[in-house]
Amino acid sequence: MTIRLTTLLLLLSTLVLGQQKIAFDPKKSATSTVQYQTVDLVFKVTNVSTDNPFDLTFGAIFTDNNKKTLSIPGFYNGQNEYVIRLCPEKTGIYSYQTFAGLSSLSGLRGSIQVGKNTNPDIHGAVTVASEAPQKFVYQDGQPYFALAFELDWLFALDINDKNGLPKTTEIIQSVKENGFNQVVMNVYAHDVSWKVADNVPAQYNYKKPPYTVFKGTNEQPDFSQLNVPFFQHLDRVIQHLHERGIVAHLMIYVWNKKVNWPQMYSAEDNRYFDYIIKRYQAYPNIIWDVSKEALDYGRCDIPYINERIEHIRRLDAYKHLVTVHDYEYCSREPDKIDFISIQNWRSDLYSLTLEAYQRHPNKPVMNIEHGGYEEGPYSSFTGNYINPEVCLERNYACIFAGVYSCYYWQNTSWDIVIHDALSPKQTFPKPRFDYYKHLQTLFSRYNFNTLNPYKPKLTTNGRLGNDNLSSSGYPLTDDKGLYLYFVPGDNYNTNVVIPKPVSGKIEASWFNIFTGETHSEAPSDWYIFKSYQSPWKGQSAVLILGGK
């Protein structure tokens, strides 16, 4: 490849949906940004030969005030343009110098002044809490109670709108307003294999898009070239999620959505996979997921997934969390990933989810699909549970087993996406997104990072003590006098067995999981096997003891 660097006369800095882009100029190579904000350093070139421009080695070494260095790979952005995308994690000055497989792109220098982040929705990347390895925490130390919402086709909503993201904005506004802070999404999906209603309006039907991640179509792809405009649009989507404080749980592959993928381990396969890591690693809100249901469809095996993870670890300068949407893989290779993804649909959901939590004491666990797919006006994949109240209760069962969970609505999670589902103009029964706002509120009030399912302790005679802190219901405790019980609606009451408080009194309150309403009871004397009855007979609720 023969490339000649063309420098620009002016330093151009623009914001497109918050995405800062700076055209490199060696005469004005200093610029500014803020902490946790992505910034694109753009290098325009000419005379690209017929060799594949995606394969050029290009990147930069960044050095912060403390002389800590970060090597960030660049990527080809079409139209003879290369980009190095940076996300400063600290304030101060970052200096950089480029490297490349071409002398005219190598050794270019500049600096970036980084100010303090002022967006209250942005806290940096999600990491694992060092003091609580089964919990998530943001980079700035804030706890992260992950509550996910599956939106596989989010990439498609506004791909033909070059001026904005109206549909994306509307559905993400609904997601955020109702307590969700993570979107599980595919980079690309083509079609589903199950029967979908025939009467889906065209404006909500995204099956079989006439494009793919490669040049050409899904039916006739050119695997040697990537579809750069597709990724430029995906940038806008990921950036919008970032600005709203929502994590993008990005599934790089999906085997059951009829995508025409290149052969595994091929140069084309590696080019696509590595391009995703290079292009999206700078977004603080990224979580990598190698593949949805990775081992379920005979497409790949464990060595292949291991090799893909090695690609991520080698290329991702920001060390984002990595998982695989496949419990068979996660249970066999837990040391390869940062958190465990399970897919438990069973009727005995709580006990089996608790078993996974106990089996992996040093990693967070997420039940990414629990079989609950709330119904909408157009029938799609039904799973095992479609009632909105049952779906909510299954999320609570996961969380009170100590793991994180994910919500599905049949008319947003796959190729049907009703972006304006909560609009007053809609006449169908609205999905109960609002139930999850109360769930997020509960664990904003009571820090989930301090709460765990009760672990039985040995008594003086060597026997296990009480194994559930109650006759029924599912408990979480901080082991410091705070107890939360998820009490299913089919309970008439629950009898609690907790240590006697110093005061000899118990403070109790109830939380309505459907309305967010609270009900306090007067402090009462402690005694063993004390009985409590929910004020909402026949409804699932949360009993809180020892805290306000």
Side-chain angles (χ1 to χ4, degrees):
M1 176 169 17
T2 303
I3 301 179
R4 180 175 60 83
L5 177 67
T6 302
T7 59
L8 301 181
L9 298 177
L10 297 173
L11 178 66
L12 176 63
S13 179
T14 59
L15 288 175
V16 181
L17 289 173
Q19 180 73 54
Q20 192 172 1
K21 299 179 182 295
I22 301 167
F24 178 79
D25 180 355
K27 298 178 181 179
K28 297 181 179 180
S29 57
T31 188
S32 62
T33 188
V34 297
Q35 183 185 23
Y36 304 138
Q37 170 63 51
T38 55
V39 55
D40 284 3
L41 302 175
V42 180
F43 300 82
K44 199 75 173 178
V45 297
T46 58
N47 299 331
V48 179
S49 76
T50 56
D51 293 338
N52 198 317
F54 294 97
D55 295 340
L56 177 70
T57 297
F58 180 57
I61 305 293
F62 290 83
T63 305
D64 66 16
N65 290 350
N66 298 320
K67 307 301 181 183
K68 182 179 178 181
T69 61
L70 196 67
S71 179
I72 299 177
F75 57 89
Y76 183 60
N77 195 40
Q79 300 296 310
N80 298 343
E81 183 176 282
Y82 284 88
V83 173
I84 297 170
R85 181 168 287 162
L86 169 74
C87 178
E89 298 174 328
K90 300 178 181 178
T91 58
I93 297 176
Y94 283 71
S95 60
Y96 66 88
Q97 180 174 337
T98 64
F99 59 86
L102 190 73
S103 59
S104 58
L105 277 176
S106 185
L108 305 175
R109 297 175 181 268
S111 64
I112 300 176
Q113 176 73 49
V114 181
K116 187 176 181 180
N117 167 54
T118 58
N119 186 333
D121 287 331
I122 294 175
H123 303 281
V126 173
T127 65
V128 175
S130 57
E131 72 284 1
Q134 290 183 291
K135 307 295 184 181
F136 293 125
V137 67
Y138 285 111
Q139 201 166 0
D140 68 356
Q142 293 289 318
Y144 175 65
F145 176 66
L147 188 54
F149 188 114
E150 180 122 349
L151 264 167
D152 286 355
W153 260 260
L154 184 60
F155 67 85
L157 299 193
D158 296 296
I159 198 165
N160 295 318
D161 191 328
K162 304 306 179 185
N163 298 316
L165 298 172
K167 296 177 181 178
T168 303
T169 298
E170 188 163 13
I171 185 60
I172 295 305
Q173 179 68 16
S174 296
V175 165
K176 183 174 179 62
E177 284 180 346
N178 289 288
F180 301 100
N181 54 18
Q182 182 174 145
V183 166
V184 179
M185 58 186 292
N186 296 137
V187 171
Y188 176 78
H190 188 67
D191 195 6
V192 297
S193 57
W194 55 84
K195 181 173 175 53
V196 176
D198 296 327
N199 60 337
V200 181
Q203 69 267 30
Y204 301 135
N205 192 340
Y206 293 93
K207 67 185 298 184
K208 297 183 178 180
Y211 52 83
T212 182
V213 291
F214 305 99
K215 283 287 186 71
T217 65
N218 188 66
E219 292 74 22
Q220 293 185 312
D222 176 0
F223 288 137
S224 70
Q225 298 290 317
L226 295 167
N227 182 1
V228 172
F230 172 90
F231 293 105
Q232 291 170 338
H233 170 68
L234 189 60
D235 288 355
R236 298 194 299 161
V237 175
I238 302 297
Q239 176 68 23
H240 180 73
L241 293 174
H242 170 50
E243 291 171 358
R244 300 311 312 273
I246 296 175
V247 168
H249 181 132
L250 195 61
M251 294 183 288
I252 301 172
Y253 295 121
V254 57
W255 308 134
N256 69 335
K257 299 298 188 297
K258 300 187 178 181
V259 178
N260 194 348
W261 295 108
Q263 184 178 356
M264 293 186 300
Y265 299 109
S266 66
E268 294 80 8
D269 186 26
N270 291 339
R271 184 180 297 120
Y272 162 74
F273 191 88
D274 292 355
Y275 190 75
I276 298 296
I277 310 307
K278 292 174 183 178
R279 186 159 193 137
Y280 295 102
Q281 65 175 279
Y283 290 104
N285 59 324
I286 284 290
I287 286 175
W288 304 120
D289 194 325
V290 174
S291 177
K292 184 179 177 70
E293 297 169 339
L295 301 178
D296 285 357
Y297 299 98
R299 162 73 187 191
C300 70
D301 54 18
I302 286 178
Y304 179 73
I305 299 298
N306 288 343
E307 195 265 354
R308 296 293 93 176
I309 292 173
E310 290 173 7
H311 275 249
I312 296 173
R313 303 294 191 198
R314 183 175 67 251
L315 287 172
D316 180 10
Y318 297 92
K319 311 304 179 188
H320 292 291
L321 298 181
V322 178
T323 193
V324 178
H325 185 306
D326 192 293
Y327 190 39
E328 180 184 352
Y329 176 85
C330 292
S331 62
R332 294 171 65 178
E333 299 282 347
D335 294 338
K336 298 286 187 182
I337 51 180
D338 298 307
F339 68 94
I340 306 296
S341 293
I342 67 175
Q343 197 170 351
N344 183 356
W345 289 27
R346 296 284 293 276
S347 56
D348 50 345
L349 177 64
Y350 173 80
S351 61
L352 290 175
T353 304
L354 181 62
E355 179 182 301
Y357 170 87
Q358 293 170 335
R359 184 177 177 182
H360 303 283
N362 298 315
K363 294 182 185 291
V365 180
M366 172 176 279
N367 192 356
I368 201 163
E369 289 193 52
H370 53 68
Y373 306 102
E374 184 180 331
E375 65 182 334
Y378 308 106
S379 178
S380 185
F381 191 68
T382 56
N384 291 163
Y385 312 89
I386 63 172
N387 177 274
E389 288 71 37
V390 172
C391 290
L392 176 68
E393 290 165 341
R394 289 181 69 79
N395 279 278
Y396 270 85
C398 293
I399 291 161
F400 274 74
V403 315
Y404 301 95
S405 67
C406 186
Y407 168 78
Y408 290 69
W409 187 46
Q410 290 181 34
N411 291 165
T412 48
S413 289
W414 301 292
D415 55 327
I416 303 171
V417 185
I418 305 179
H419 62 275
D420 53 355
L422 302 185
S423 169
K425 73 178 183 181
Q426 301 290 11
T427 58
F428 56 76
K430 301 296 189 293
R432 298 313 304 258
F433 299 169
D434 58 303
Y435 286 161
Y436 298 85
K437 174 172 57 180
H438 308 314
L439 174 54
Q440 188 66 248
T441 296
L442 178 66
F443 289 106
S444 298
R445 189 176 303 159
Y446 302 102
N447 183 358
F448 186 69
N449 283 19
T450 68
L451 297 168
N452 292 289
Y454 179 69
K455 297 179 181 178
K457 298 178 177 62
L458 291 175
T459 61
T460 54
N461 62 5
R463 294 183 179 179
L464 285 177
N466 171 64
D467 65 354
N468 204 30
L469 295 174
S470 67
S471 61
S472 60
Y474 311 134
L476 292 172
T477 180
D478 65 356
D479 285 322
K480 296 180 180 178
L482 174 64
Y483 305 90
L484 277 67
Y485 298 84
F486 173 55
V487 182
D490 53 4
N491 278 54
Y492 177 70
N493 60 251
T494 187
N495 301 90
V496 304
V497 185
I498 63 173
K500 184 177 182 179
V502 174
S503 66
K505 300 285 187 180
I506 300 181
E507 293 183 342
S509 62
W510 288 88
F511 179 84
N512 189 311
I513 68 171
F514 303 108
T515 66
E517 179 185 356
T518 58
H519 174 83
S520 296
E521 298 190 5
S524 58
D525 292 333
W526 171 90
Y527 58 86
I528 198 73
F529 219 60
K530 187 176 179 65
S531 178
Y532 286 93
Q533 294 182 15
S534 169
W536 306 289
K537 185 177 179 181
Q539 290 187 21
S540 296
V542 174
L543 170 65
I544 301 116
L545 302 179
K548 294 184 179 179

